[in-house]
Amino acid sequence: MTEFNLLSRQHAADRATRSLRSAAATLEAERHGLEHLRDALAATDGLGSAFAAVVERILTCSGRVILSGIGKSGHIARKIQATLASTGTPSLFVHPAEAAHGDLGMIGDDDVLVILSQSGETSELAALLEYGVRHDLPIVGVTAMPESTLARASSYVLTIPRAREACPMGLAPTTSTLMQLALGDALAIALLEQRGFTANDFSAFHPGGQLGAKLRPVQTLMHTGEALPLGRGDMPLSAVIMEMTRKAFGCMGVLDDEDRLIGLITDGDLRPALMHDLSTTRAETIMNRGPITITPDALAQEAVRVMNARTKPITSLFVLDENGRPIGIVHVHDLLRAGIA
């Protein structure tokens, strides 16, 4: 290897070291910022009391939460708005420049304004602020400057603690925008919990992608009716084999006289039983009593968890109604096709 190549490799290694050192320093600076924010929220006065008041005001709001901001704060406001909307709080992002050119008409009299600006002196926010004050709307100012124009015009001020930006020049918004984002997440989750927002509610807002698949109720994936592999306890093994072969789920549910599921026979149970007389050996003699089942309103991700909870994973689950009667069956292949398992 030539001396030039050796030097090139050394320079590359040095750059990698500097990059990793820089990344660690960035995360350390941002960690300190989040700790300052956590401590400020924990206080019973200042940010903590203002945050609790904002949560209460939004809970009693009959309109929407209108988010706005410009530049990096605008990007953060968009993300907070999306999180609020997906967790049960009706919300809308209004760009301050567009607001001054007609989009103020999107804001209703029952809405709450949440405006983000690190300095609190962003000129592009003037029209939005003036509109909110003139229409006596609740205004939540999110800023690091408690004496700024935004803070003075706001009904509630969420003061972001001052913290060192991760940028070595202290100029690029990094730590400050992370704290804005974290405060927005804290607000969304506090509202979610106060509203009693559930996984089923979340599912209704997230029907697409793998997340939506995990949150689908089992009843949307299960096989029903004639597809169910079912029989009685007095069935001979020859009939059990025929039922399991026709239905191809690798199992058969055993019913009592009231059509309640009392047992389960799997391929694994059937194989050692083949040495017996297939015409006289009855299903109830080889079935597993008390099979693991699931309810139709359980989420698909719960079905995956139940299937994988045993040392030997289960491949099929019977779905029972409130009376213990099977109304469906879900197979691991159904979960795989849905993009879950």
Side-chain angles (χ1 to χ4, degrees), residues 67-304:
L67 278 293
S68 191
I70 198 76
K72 305 298 187 298
S73 293
H75 294 309
I76 298 300
R78 285 183 184 274
K79 193 277 177 184
I80 295 172
Q81 181 272 316
T83 302
L84 288 170
S86 71
T87 52
T89 298
S91 57
L92 177 71
F93 176 83
V94 174
H95 194 285
E98 298 296 337
H101 293 275
D103 280 5
L104 287 172
M106 301 168 70
I107 303 172
D109 292 339
D110 298 321
D111 293 341
V112 174
L113 294 179
V114 178
I115 301 176
L116 282 69
S117 171
Q118 179 71 2
S119 69
E121 300 293 346
T122 307
S123 59
E124 291 89 346
L125 298 173
L128 196 60
L129 273 178
E130 190 275 334
Y131 183 88
V133 171
R134 178 155 44 90
H135 288 78
D136 198 27
L137 297 177
I139 301 174
V140 180
V142 182
T143 179
M145 304 298 182
E147 302 301 324
S148 62
T149 300
L150 172 60
R152 291 195 303 272
S154 296
S155 316
Y156 308 88
V157 181
L158 299 181
T159 305
I160 300 289
R162 302 293 298 275
R164 181 178 64 84
E165 300 286 11
C167 167
M169 297 172 291
L171 298 175
T174 46
T175 307
S176 58
T177 49
L178 179 62
M179 289 193 292
Q180 287 179 340
L181 181 61
L183 186 64
D185 286 343
L187 181 63
I189 299 306
L191 290 165
L192 175 154
E193 292 176 346
Q194 293 281 4
R195 296 184 195 279
F197 196 78
T198 67
N200 283 330
D201 297 321
F202 197 79
S203 173
F205 296 146
H206 297 77
Q210 190 178 57
L211 177 60
K214 288 182 179 180
L215 297 174
R216 288 176 61 181
V218 167
Q219 60 190 351
T220 66
L221 297 169
M222 69 186 187
H223 302 265
T224 60
E226 291 299 317
L228 302 185
L230 298 170
R232 303 287 178 180
D234 58 359
M235 282 178 64
L237 289 189
S238 56
V240 172
I241 293 171
M242 292 296 296
E243 178 71 0
M244 291 175 62
T245 301
R246 283 197 304 269
K247 305 300 174 62
F249 284 100
C251 66
M252 188 192 85
V254 181
L255 306 177
D256 65 10
D257 293 338
E258 297 182 359
D259 292 336
R260 294 174 301 199
L261 189 73
I262 58 171
L264 182 73
I265 299 172
T266 68
D267 286 334
D269 301 317
L270 197 58
R271 280 192 289 272
L274 293 177
M275 65 182 64
H276 302 292
D277 188 327
L278 300 184
S279 61
T280 59
T281 303
R282 293 159 30 125
E284 61 188 2
T285 64
I286 68 166
M287 72 180 186
N288 298 292
R289 297 183 181 274
I292 296 173
T293 61
I294 200 163
T295 59
D297 58 347
L299 301 182
Q301 64 180 1
E302 174 65 10
V304 173

Side-chain angles (χ1 to χ4, degrees), residues 309-322:
R310 296 168 64 94
T311 305
K312 185 177 181 181
I314 300 169
T315 58
S316 293
L317 282 175
F318 273 101
V319 184
L320 306 187
D321 65 14
E322 63 275 11

Side-chain angles (χ1 to χ4, degrees), residues 315-334:
T315 58
S316 293
L317 282 175
F318 273 101
V319 184
L320 306 187
D321 65 14
E322 63 275 11
N323 298 312
R325 297 185 177 94
I327 57 173
I329 188 171
V330 61
H331 193 275
V332 66
H333 290 166
D334 303 317

